[in-house]
């Protein structure tokens, strides 16, 4: 099976950031949570809080919406942003592909369903922004992958981030996706 990171890998950008900017334009009420996030980001940079704690503060904007609204808004977002998925991915996509991402399921689930691929990602409570479990990042991606596919082998792995090295080391072939969607061999000492 082939495994892909999402943001910056098959998607040209960061889907969470793009979704938030989409909300600022179409649902500007979310801006009231921005000062708290800026303060949390500063605390994260100063190593006072964890990355997950910072992200939980960020996702507090979900308090502005009812559960059903979020699904509709996400679908509207993807109708405008699906075009940011790189063409090279569509040319090689297989139904057995696995997308594994730190982005939350409430943003990625509908697009992965539309693509017809499997998804492993961070789980965030859409009622309050709290994480359900750990952020799906770094070594946690390996843990989640083996929990979902205990006996699977990764044929090809694609990512734009060195934080995905633990997962890349498991693949028969690993590829780094650079800005603009260029794919290069990821030379890894196994």
């Amino acid at each position: 099976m082939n495994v892909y990171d999402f943001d910056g890998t098959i998607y040209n950008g960061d889907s969470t950031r793009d979704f938030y900017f989409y909300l600022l334009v179409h649902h500007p009420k979310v801006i009231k949570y921005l000062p708290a996030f800026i303060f949390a980001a500063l605390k994260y940079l100063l190593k006072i809080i964890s990355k997950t704690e910072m992200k939980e503060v960020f996702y507090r904007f979900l308090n502005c919406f009812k559960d059903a609204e979020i699904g509709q808004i996400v679908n509207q977002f993807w109708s405008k942003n699906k075009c940011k998925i790189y063409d090279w991915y569509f040319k090689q996509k297989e139904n057995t592909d696995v997308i594994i991402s730190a982005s939350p399921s409430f943003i990625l689930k509908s697009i992965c369903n539309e693509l017809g691929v499997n998804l492993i990602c961070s789980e965030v409570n859409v009622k309050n922004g709290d994480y359900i479990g750990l952020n799906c990042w770094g070594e946690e991606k390996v843990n989640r992958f083996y929990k979902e596919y205990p006996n699977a082998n990764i044929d090809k792995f694609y990512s734009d981030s060195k934080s995905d090295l633990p997962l890349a080391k498991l693949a028969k072939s690993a590829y780094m996706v650079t800005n603009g969607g260029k794919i290069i061999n990821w030379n890894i000492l196994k």
Side-chain angles (χ1 to χ4, degrees):
M1 82 176 39
N2 297 328
V3 178
Y4 300 82
D5 176 47
F6 190 80
D7 296 315
T9 301
I10 69 165
Y11 178 79
N12 185 10
D14 182 296
S15 60
T16 302
R17 183 175 38 235
D18 289 353
F19 181 68
Y20 183 73
F21 286 125
Y22 176 85
L23 290 176
L24 284 173
V25 171
H26 299 282
H27 303 276
K29 60 187 173 183
V30 299
I31 201 164
K32 69 182 177 182
Y33 292 95
L34 189 57
F37 170 66
I38 292 169
F39 185 64
L42 182 62
K43 288 168 67 175
Y44 169 71
L45 290 172
L46 295 171
K47 301 182 190 286
I48 296 169
I49 63 173
S50 70
K51 186 177 204 174
T52 300
E53 290 169 313
M54 175 192 67
K55 286 185 167 189
E56 285 180 331
V57 173
F58 172 73
Y59 291 123
R60 294 288 183 256
F61 69 76
L62 290 165
N63 289 316
C64 292
F65 307 100
K66 294 182 174 122
D67 293 359
E69 282 181 297
I70 287 295
Q72 292 170 349
I73 294 166
V74 167
N75 288 337
Q76 292 163 357
F77 166 77
W78 282 118
S79 71
K80 293 186 179 212
N81 287 277
K82 181 181 176 182
C83 62
K84 292 181 74 175
I85 296 175
Y86 289 117
D87 287 337
W88 66 261
Y89 177 69
F90 287 110
K91 291 175 184 171
Q92 68 186 45
K93 184 185 88 57
E94 297 177 10
N95 291 341
T96 57
D97 287 350
V98 175
I99 303 293
I100 186 161
S101 177
S103 289
S105 63
F106 76 86
I107 293 175
L108 296 184
K109 188 175 183 178
S110 66
I111 191 65
C112 287
N113 286 343
E114 187 176 332
L115 292 170
V117 297
N118 302 300
L119 174 65
I120 300 170
C121 60
S122 296
E123 295 294 334
V124 173
N125 184 328
V126 294
K127 290 180 169 67
N128 60 20
D130 287 347
Y131 270 76
I132 301 165
L134 299 174
N135 186 15
C136 188
W137 183 85
E139 192 66 42
E140 182 60 18
K141 284 188 176 184
V142 173
N143 297 337
R144 299 272 186 98
F145 178 77
Y146 279 130
K147 183 178 180 186
E148 192 72 27
Y149 303 99
N151 300 313
N153 294 313
I154 300 173
D155 294 315
K156 296 177 182 175
F157 176 69
Y158 296 80
S159 178
D160 70 313
S161 175
K162 291 181 181 177
S163 69
D164 285 331
L165 183 61
L167 204 49
K169 285 182 175 181
L170 301 177
K172 292 176 187 168
S173 302
Y175 303 92
M176 182 64 73
V177 180
T178 62
N179 288 341
K182 183 180 176 189
I183 301 168
I184 58 174
N185 279 323
W186 191 349
N187 296 320
I188 302 168
L189 299 175
K190 294 190 181 198

